[in-house]
Amino acid sequence: MSQRLFQAYVMVDWSAASKPTTGPDSIWVGVLKRNVRFQMAFESHNPATRADAEKLLANVLDDLRRKGERTLVGFDFPLGFPRGTAAALQLAGEPWRALIDFAAKEVKDKPDNTNNRFQVGAKMNRLMTGEAFPFWGAPARDEQTMLSAKRPREHGDGDLPEFRLAEQAIKGPSSIWKLYYQGSVGGQALTGLPVIKRLAEKRAARLWPFETGWKPLTPSDLSEVECVFAEIYPSQFGAKPAAGEIKDQAQVRTACERFNALDDKGQLAAMFGPAKDDPRREIVEREEGWILGAPA
């Protein structure tokens, strides 16, 4: 029987909402961990704000650390930007880290969920291209010279790519450049990356695939690690809500159950990257990241 990589699973359906909100299209946190009888038991939480969600996640991870249980933490937004973004912003250092640091510095997110994600998107557009591109999408009141409510144009030759390699592999996720409207993940990434940075800095965490490599993981790779943060795409698991469950809640539960079942069978390790060398490796590890469960 192969050894498990993780003993607990925390899956997060994030939201960039500008006011406190619960229910559909809000933040849902699913936790699958061993109960007092050492059976895997699921619980879900629906914090009304990102500040509450960050506190909740810190408490859950601290509790699992005390028990010595290594945790897989999945977030449903990109942890990296399309190749070339950091260079376009003239950021120094490793592209993935530079962009997370940039988001943490620029995004102002108040305890009541008021945030400046549209202003940050506009600033990034100005620095990258000097026009309202590639970020787009905003309510009319937040439209500005460097950010249009509607998509201004297609991506052409010489532009930053619309999609990362992982999104091309999985076909379905929105582009990070879409900041608003149904299915947008741009606002989620801008408001979520600073949270991941703070949570990771306070514990022995690794961001996959940037700090682990884009390759199958073994328990020995993670021997000193408390938690691994990864990007997930819950829609790929075909969650079916149980009685009284809403869709987002069912998605985090199904993601927890799926990763637990794969880990139990020794099949989760292979999902962390291709076993042989891959020409995309440098882009994935240094810049774009990958979606856990996307075909490599």
Side-chain angles (χ1 to χ4, degrees):
M1 182 69 183
S2 62
Q3 211 183 336
R4 275 177 166 273
L5 289 176
F6 302 98
Q7 289 77 47
Y9 309 84
V10 175
M11 299 294 135
V12 185
D13 187 321
W14 198 245
S15 166
S18 296
K19 56 181 193 291
T21 177
T22 55
D25 301 320
S26 64
I27 297 175
W28 283 89
V29 177
V31 182
L32 185 64
K33 60 180 183 178
R34 293 190 293 183
N35 62 17
V36 289
R37 293 187 293 283
F38 293 96
Q39 296 161 322
M40 295 302 279
F42 177 77
E43 61 190 45
S44 65
H45 307 267
N46 187 205
T49 65
R50 284 177 293 280
D52 289 345
E54 185 173 346
K55 259 183 234 138
L56 171 78
L57 288 164
N59 290 339
V60 167
L61 294 176
D62 287 347
D63 179 52
L64 290 164
R65 168 167 52 192
R66 280 192 294 274
K67 294 174 178 165
E69 310 219 314
R70 190 161 53 238
T71 308
L72 175 63
V73 189
F75 283 85
D76 69 335
F77 56 77
L79 306 194
F81 285 73
R83 54 206 173 275
T85 303
L89 287 165
Q90 299 185 327
L91 300 177
E94 289 176 294
W96 71 269
R97 194 187 298 276
L99 276 154
I100 291 176
D101 290 346
F102 181 90
K105 183 169 127 276
E106 297 290 337
V107 174
K108 305 290 179 262
D109 201 354
K110 295 184 180 159
D112 66 354
N113 265 3
T114 312
N115 66 82
N116 68 336
R117 68 189 189 275
F118 299 116
Q119 287 80 0
V120 173
K123 177 175 182 172
M124 290 174 77
N125 279 347
R126 176 172 59 77
L127 293 172
M128 289 188 290
T129 64
E131 58 174 306
F133 182 86
F135 275 116
W136 65 276
R141 68 177 179 279
D142 289 297
E143 201 173 9
Q144 46 201 288
T145 316
M146 291 290 161
L147 185 69
S148 63
K150 297 279 181 283
R151 185 178 167 168
R153 62 178 175 86
E154 296 286 322
H155 288 247
D157 292 342
D159 287 329
L160 289 166
E162 182 173 10
F163 293 106
R164 298 173 302 149
L165 296 171
E167 286 138 6
Q168 290 169 335
I170 208 169
K171 301 277 190 289
S174 288
S175 165
I176 198 168
W177 304 127
K178 183 178 171 185
L179 272 180
Y180 194 57
Y181 311 115
Q182 192 64 34
S184 63
V185 294
Q188 289 174 296
L190 289 177
T191 57
L193 289 171
V195 172
I196 290 179
K197 175 179 161 75
R198 289 190 293 269
L199 289 170
E201 282 174 346
K202 296 192 176 93
R203 36 193 61 81
R206 295 285 179 278
L207 269 63
W208 171 80
F210 311 118
E211 297 179 303
T212 60
W214 189 42
K215 62 181 176 55
L217 295 180
T218 64
S220 62
D221 289 330
L222 303 177
S223 60
E224 303 297 314
V225 176
E226 293 167 16
C227 49
V228 172
F229 290 91
E231 175 186 349
I232 59 169
Y233 182 55
S235 301
Q236 70 181 322
F237 299 131
K240 295 193 171 43
E245 241 186 354
I246 68 161
K247 184 183 159 202
D248 311 297
Q249 186 179 15
Q251 285 190 327
V252 293
R253 174 181 56 74
T254 304
C256 284
E257 291 169 352
R258 178 66 61 92
F259 291 128
N260 174 52
L262 288 164
D263 209 355
D264 210 33
K265 295 188 193 114
Q267 295 169 358
L268 183 58
M271 294 177 80
F272 286 94
K276 55 185 190 304
D277 206 39
D278 189 296
R280 301 167 295 174
R281 185 179 303 279
E282 187 179 359
I283 290 169
V284 168
E285 290 182 350
R286 290 196 71 237
E287 192 149 13
E288 290 196 345
W290 197 258
I291 297 166
L292 189 57

